[in-house]
Amino acid sequence: MTKPDRNSVLRQLPFVVGGLGGTLLFVNRVLTPQLTDAQARSDALGVIVCAVLILTGLLWQEVQPRSPDAVNLIGEEGFELAPDLPDPVKIELAWASHLLLTNTGTRSLVVFYQGKVLLRRGILGTNADVKPGAILQRVLEKQKPVYLVKLALYPGKIEFDYLPENTQGVICQPIGNAGVLILGANAPRSYTKQDEIWIEGIADKLGNTLS
């Protein structure tokens, strides 16, 4: 028998308590033959408290629990930029990488452009050099992204030795016609279709800047 998710039960609690409290206030109001000023004030306060509880419960429903398949990536957190880049390019790379690390399942990312590593950020792999293997070459040649939803299932995973060794999922997104944005996640199937569209938009913006 499957045990209930404790966090899920707790997220339901404000919603249930708020709804129950509001119902009891309504029943009490209906059954009261003569309403006093003090009771009217206490009822108004009770309604506000119940509404806040219900709103809290609804907001907590939006909180996504940590994936049971998520891992802590092996490596040190860092932020490395190629030193010879112009300041505007550095700023844009910093901005784009920050958005991806804070708004998607990405925990490690690399920007590879014209044969050079321009940026590494997040949890860094031990190897700082990118030598394009078959998967990366295909992305560069065909100009189409590749999403490896569960990296462990793919024999070609060995080419991603510049990402943390226990990276769970990878997206390789073309940057213009000369580079690739490589994103590593700490859980399989971390990216939604909306994430993929958004990542494509950021890569297109980087392509315009770098070209």
Side-chain angles (χ1 to χ4, degrees):
M1 183 176 178
T2 304
K3 297 176 67 176
D5 180 3
R6 184 180 177 186
N7 288 333
S8 178
V9 173
L10 289 175
R11 286 196 297 272
Q12 295 280 355
L13 193 58
F15 184 79
V16 172
V17 173
L20 179 61
T23 301
L24 292 175
L25 281 171
F26 176 75
V27 171
N28 183 62
R29 171 66 70 90
V30 170
L31 297 179
T32 301
Q34 185 175 358
L35 188 66
T36 65
D37 291 341
Q39 185 177 352
R41 288 193 296 269
S42 63
D43 282 354
L45 181 60
V47 168
I48 292 172
V49 172
C50 291
V52 171
L53 284 170
I54 292 172
L55 179 60
T56 301
L58 291 173
L59 290 174
W60 282 11
Q61 299 310 304
E62 300 298 320
V63 177
Q64 296 297 321
R66 177 184 171 93
S67 168
D69 296 324
V71 301
N72 292 319
L73 296 186
I74 298 171
E76 296 294 326
E77 189 166 354
F79 180 17
E80 298 177 358
L81 278 166
D84 56 343
L85 293 172
D87 285 342
V89 173
K90 289 182 179 180
I91 292 171
E92 178 134 342
L93 287 171
W95 163 81
S97 59
H98 174 75
L99 285 180
L100 291 167
L101 288 168
T102 55
N103 292 282
T104 70
T106 304
R107 296 295 178 267
S108 179
L109 64 86
V110 175
V111 174
F112 181 72
Y113 193 78
Q114 293 182 340
K116 293 175 55 179
V117 174
L118 303 188
L119 175 141
R120 297 201 307 153
R121 191 170 185 179
I123 306 302
L124 306 182
T126 55
N127 181 17
D129 296 324
V130 173
K131 295 181 179 178
I135 296 173
L136 215 58
Q137 287 287 7
R138 187 174 69 187
V139 174
L140 288 166
E141 292 169 4
K142 295 186 177 294
Q143 293 296 292
K144 291 184 178 180
V146 168
Y147 179 17
L148 308 176
V149 296
K150 191 170 183 179
L151 189 59
L153 300 178
Y154 298 91
K157 66 181 181 180
I158 58 173
E159 75 175 75
F160 297 100
D161 58 351
Y162 44 83
L163 294 175
E165 63 182 73
N166 60 337
T167 298
Q168 300 296 299
V170 171
I171 284 183
C172 299
Q173 179 70 46
I175 300 176
N177 57 6
V180 183
L181 173 62
I182 306 154
L183 309 177
N186 69 332
R189 300 174 181 84
S190 292
Y191 299 102
T192 65
K193 192 62 180 178
Q194 188 63 39
D195 289 335
E196 294 179 60
I197 293 171
W198 195 54
I199 289 166
E200 181 181 1
I202 289 180
D204 287 345
K205 180 67 170 64
L206 288 176
N208 290 334
T209 299
L210 293 171
S211 63

